[in-house]
Coordinates of all heavy atoms in Angstrom, one line a residue:
A1 N -10.7 31.0 -23.6 CA -10.1 32.4 -23.5 C -8.8 32.3 -24.2 O -7.9 31.3 -23.9 CB -9.9 32.7 -22.0
Q2 N -8.4 33.3 -25.0 CA -7.1 33.3 -25.6 C -6.1 34.0 -24.7 O -6.4 34.5 -23.7 CB -7.2 34.1 -27.0 CG -8.1 33.5 -28.0 CD -8.1 34.3 -29.3 OE1 -7.5 35.3 -29.4 NE2 -8.9 33.8 -30.2
T3 N -4.8 33.9 -25.1 CA -3.7 34.4 -24.2 C -4.0 36.0 -24.1 O -4.2 36.6 -25.2 CB -2.4 34.2 -24.9 OG1 -2.1 32.8 -24.9 CG2 -1.2 34.9 -24.1
G4 N -4.0 36.5 -22.9 CA -4.2 37.9 -22.7 C -5.7 38.2 -22.5 O -6.0 39.5 -22.2
S5 N -6.7 37.4 -22.8 CA -8.1 37.7 -22.7 C -8.4 38.0 -21.3 O -7.8 37.6 -20.3 CB -8.9 36.4 -23.1 OG -8.8 36.2 -24.4
V6 N -9.4 39.0 -21.2 CA -9.9 39.4 -19.9 C -11.4 39.0 -19.7 O -12.2 39.4 -20.6 CB -9.8 40.9 -19.8 CG1 -10.5 41.5 -18.5 CG2 -8.3 41.5 -19.8
L7 N -11.7 38.4 -18.5 CA -13.0 38.0 -18.3 C -13.5 38.8 -17.1 O -12.8 39.0 -16.1 CB -13.0 36.5 -17.8 CG -14.4 36.0 -17.2 CD1 -15.4 35.9 -18.3 CD2 -14.2 34.6 -16.5
A8 N -14.6 39.4 -17.2 CA -15.3 40.3 -16.2 C -16.7 39.6 -15.9 O -17.5 39.5 -16.7 CB -15.4 41.7 -16.6
V9 N -16.8 39.3 -14.6 CA -18.1 38.7 -14.1 C -18.8 39.7 -13.2 O -18.2 40.2 -12.1 CB -17.9 37.4 -13.4 CG1 -19.2 36.8 -12.9 CG2 -17.1 36.4 -14.2
G10 N -20.1 40.2 -13.5 CA -20.7 41.2 -12.8 C -21.4 40.7 -11.6 O -21.1 39.6 -11.1
A11 N -22.5 41.5 -11.1 CA -23.2 41.1 -10.1 C -24.2 40.0 -10.3 O -24.9 40.1 -11.4 CB -24.0 42.4 -9.4
A12 N -24.4 39.1 -9.4 CA -25.4 38.0 -9.7 C -26.8 38.5 -9.7 O -27.2 39.4 -8.9 CB -25.3 36.8 -8.6
Q13 N -27.6 38.1 -10.8 CA -28.9 38.6 -10.8 C -29.9 37.8 -9.9 O -30.9 38.3 -9.4 CB -29.5 38.5 -12.2 CG -28.5 39.3 -13.2 CD -28.8 38.9 -14.6 OE1 -29.1 37.7 -15.0 NE2 -28.5 39.8 -15.6
E14 N -29.6 36.6 -9.6 CA -30.3 35.7 -8.7 C -29.4 34.7 -8.2 O -28.4 34.3 -8.8 CB -31.4 35.0 -9.5 CG -32.3 34.0 -8.7 CD -33.3 33.3 -9.5 OE1 -33.4 33.7 -10.7 OE2 -34.0 32.4 -9.0
G15 N -29.6 34.3 -7.0 CA -28.8 33.5 -6.2 C -27.5 34.3 -5.5 O -27.5 35.5 -5.6
L16 N -26.5 33.6 -5.0 CA -25.5 34.3 -4.2 C -24.2 34.0 -4.6 O -23.2 34.9 -4.6 CB -25.7 33.8 -2.8 CG -24.8 34.5 -1.8 CD1 -25.2 36.0 -1.6 CD2 -25.2 34.0 -0.3
R17 N -23.9 32.6 -5.0 CA -22.5 32.2 -5.3 C -22.3 31.6 -6.6 O -23.0 30.9 -7.2 CB -22.0 31.2 -4.2 CG -22.1 31.8 -2.8 CD -21.6 30.8 -1.8 NE -21.5 31.3 -0.4 CZ -22.4 31.3 0.5 NH1 -23.7 30.8 0.3 NH2 -22.2 32.0 1.7
S18 N -21.3 32.1 -7.4 CA -20.8 31.7 -8.6 C -19.6 30.9 -8.6 O -18.7 31.1 -7.7 CB -20.8 32.9 -9.6 OG -22.0 33.6 -9.6
Y19 N -19.3 30.1 -9.6 CA -18.1 29.3 -9.7 C -17.5 29.4 -11.0 O -18.1 29.3 -12.1 CB -18.5 27.8 -9.3 CG -18.9 27.6 -7.9 CD1 -20.3 27.9 -7.5 CD2 -18.0 27.4 -6.8 CE1 -20.7 27.8 -6.3 CE2 -18.4 27.5 -5.5 CZ -19.7 27.6 -5.3 OH -20.2 27.7 -3.9
L20 N -16.1 29.4 -11.0 CA -15.3 29.4 -12.2 C -14.4 28.2 -12.3 O -13.5 28.2 -11.2 CB -14.6 30.6 -12.3 CG -13.4 30.7 -13.4 CD1 -14.0 30.7 -14.8 CD2 -12.7 31.9 -13.1
A21 N -14.4 27.4 -13.2 CA -13.5 26.2 -13.3 C -12.7 26.5 -14.4 O -13.2 26.9 -15.6 CB -14.2 24.9 -13.4
V22 N -11.3 26.1 -14.5 CA -10.5 26.3 -15.5 C -9.8 24.9 -15.9 O -9.5 24.1 -14.8 CB -9.3 27.2 -15.3 CG1 -8.4 27.4 -16.6 CG2 -9.9 28.6 -15.0
W23 N -10.0 24.5 -17.1 CA -9.4 23.2 -17.5 C -7.9 22.8 -17.0 O -7.0 23.8 -17.1 CB -9.4 22.9 -19.0 CG -9.0 21.5 -19.5 CD1 -9.7 20.4 -19.1 CD2 -8.0 21.1 -20.2 NE1 -9.0 19.4 -19.6 CE2 -8.1 19.7 -20.4 CE3 -6.9 21.8 -21.1 CZ2 -7.1 18.9 -21.1 CZ3 -6.0 21.1 -21.8 CH2 -6.2 19.6 -21.7
G24 N -7.8 21.8 -16.3 CA -6.5 21.5 -15.7 C -6.6 21.8 -14.1 O -5.9 21.3 -13.3
G25 N -7.4 22.8 -13.7 CA -7.6 23.1 -12.3 C -6.6 24.2 -11.7 O -5.5 24.4 -12.4
L26 N -7.0 24.8 -10.7 CA -6.1 25.8 -10.1 C -5.0 25.1 -9.3 O -5.4 24.1 -8.6 CB -7.0 26.8 -9.1 CG -8.0 27.6 -9.9 CD1 -8.7 28.3 -8.8 CD2 -7.4 28.4 -10.9
A27 N -3.8 25.5 -9.4 CA -2.6 24.6 -8.9 C -2.1 25.3 -7.6 O -0.9 25.2 -7.4 CB -1.6 24.4 -9.8
V28 N -2.9 25.9 -6.8 CA -2.4 26.4 -5.3 C -1.9 25.2 -4.6 O -2.5 24.1 -4.8 CB -3.5 27.2 -4.7 CG1 -3.9 28.5 -5.4 CG2 -4.7 26.4 -4.4
P29 N -1.0 25.3 -3.7 CA -0.6 24.2 -2.9 C -1.7 23.5 -2.0 O -2.5 24.2 -1.4 CB 0.6 24.7 -2.0 CG 0.9 26.0 -2.7 CD -0.3 26.5 -3.3
P30 N -1.8 22.2 -2.1 CA -2.8 21.5 -1.2 C -2.3 21.6 0.2 O -1.1 21.5 0.5 CB -2.8 20.1 -1.8 CG -1.6 19.9 -2.5 CD -1.2 21.2 -3.0
V31 N -3.2 21.7 1.2 CA -3.0 21.6 2.6 C -3.8 20.7 3.2 O -5.1 20.6 3.1 CB -3.2 22.9 3.3 CG1 -3.1 22.9 4.8 CG2 -2.4 24.2 2.8
Q32 N -3.2 19.6 3.7 CA -4.0 18.4 4.3 C -4.9 17.8 3.2 O -6.1 17.5 3.5 CB -4.7 18.8 5.5 CG -3.9 19.1 6.8 CD -4.5 19.7 7.9 OE1 -5.5 20.5 7.8 NE2 -4.1 19.3 9.1
G33 N -4.4 17.7 2.0 CA -5.2 17.0 1.0 C -6.2 17.9 0.3 O -7.0 17.3 -0.5
S34 N -6.3 19.2 0.6 CA -7.3 20.0 0.0 C -6.7 21.4 -0.4 O -5.9 21.9 0.3 CB -8.5 20.2 0.9 OG -9.4 21.1 0.4
R35 N -7.2 22.0 -1.4 CA -6.8 23.4 -1.8 C -7.9 24.4 -1.4 O -7.8 25.5 -1.6 CB -6.7 23.5 -3.4 CG -5.5 22.6 -3.9 CD -5.2 22.8 -5.4 NE -4.0 22.3 -5.8 CZ -3.8 21.0 -6.2 NH1 -4.9 20.1 -6.2 NH2 -2.6 20.7 -6.6
S36 N -8.9 24.0 -0.5 CA -9.9 24.9 -0.2 C -9.4 25.9 0.9 O -8.4 25.7 1.6 CB -11.0 24.1 0.6 OG -11.8 23.4 -0.2
T37 N -9.9 27.1 0.7 CA -9.5 28.2 1.5 C -10.3 28.2 2.9 O -11.5 28.2 2.9 CB -9.8 29.5 0.9 OG1 -9.2 29.5 -0.3 CG2 -9.3 30.7 1.7
D38 N -9.5 28.1 4.1 CA -10.1 28.2 5.3 C -9.8 29.6 5.8 O -8.7 29.8 6.2 CB -9.5 27.2 6.2 CG -10.3 27.2 7.8 OD1 -10.7 28.2 8.2 OD2 -10.2 26.1 8.3
L39 N -10.8 30.5 5.8 CA -10.5 31.9 6.1 C -10.2 32.2 7.6 O -9.4 33.0 8.0 CB -11.7 32.8 5.7 CG -12.0 32.9 4.1 CD1 -13.3 33.6 3.9 CD2 -10.9 33.7 3.5
A40 N -10.8 31.4 8.4 CA -10.7 31.5 9.8 C -9.2 31.1 10.3 O -8.6 31.7 11.1 CB -11.7 30.8 10.6
C41 N -8.9 30.0 9.8 CA -7.5 29.4 10.2 C -6.4 29.8 9.2 O -5.2 29.6 9.5 CB -7.6 27.9 10.1 SG -8.6 27.1 11.3
R42 N -6.8 30.7 8.2 CA -5.8 31.2 7.3 C -4.9 30.1 6.6 O -3.7 30.2 6.7 CB -5.0 32.3 7.9 CG -5.9 33.5 8.3 CD -4.9 34.7 8.7 NE -4.2 35.1 7.4 CZ -4.6 36.0 6.4 NH1 -6.0 36.3 6.6 NH2 -3.9 36.4 5.5
L43 N -5.5 29.2 6.1 CA -4.7 28.1 5.4 C -5.5 27.6 4.2 O -6.7 27.8 4.1 CB -4.6 26.9 6.3 CG -5.7 26.1 7.0 CD1 -6.2 25.0 6.0 CD2 -5.2 25.5 8.2
G44 N -4.7 27.0 3.3 CA -5.3 26.6 2.0 C -5.5 27.7 1.0 O -5.1 28.9 1.3
G45 N -6.0 27.4 -0.1 CA -6.3 28.4 -1.1 C -5.1 29.2 -1.5 O -3.9 28.7 -1.5
L46 N -5.2 30.6 -1.6 CA -4.0 31.4 -1.8 C -3.7 32.2 -0.6 O -4.4 33.0 -0.2 CB -4.5 32.4 -3.0 CG -3.2 33.3 -3.5 CD1 -2.2 32.2 -4.2 CD2 -3.7 34.3 -4.4
E47 N -2.8 31.6 0.2 CA -2.3 32.3 1.5 C -3.4 32.2 2.5 O -3.4 33.1 3.4 CB -1.7 33.5 1.2 CG -0.6 33.7 0.3 CD -0.1 35.1 0.0 OE1 -0.7 36.0 0.4 OE2 0.8 35.3 -0.7

C-alpha cells in the first residue's frame, strides 16, 4: 500500500473471521505482555 492508499474489505463469502497483518506490527501498548483486546475487561488493544 502506498502512502494514502485505501483498503476496503467486504463481507466474507465463507468463514467468519479475517485477519490483517502489517509489516512491523500494530504498536498499541501491551498490557500484561499482550496487545490483545479483552472486550469484557476493557483492556489491551485500542482502549
Side-chain angles (χ1 to χ4, degrees):
Q2 299 180 358
T3 299
S5 287
V6 174
L7 172 69
V9 183
Q13 300 166 330
E14 180 182 354
L16 186 63
R17 296 177 171 96
S18 304
Y19 294 86
L20 167 70
V22 181
W23 187 57
L26 302 177
V28 297
V31 178
Q32 295 174 321
S34 171
R35 292 183 167 88
S36 286
T37 306
D38 186 329
L39 295 170
C41 296
R42 296 193 64 82
L43 58 84
L46 192 66
E47 301 175 357

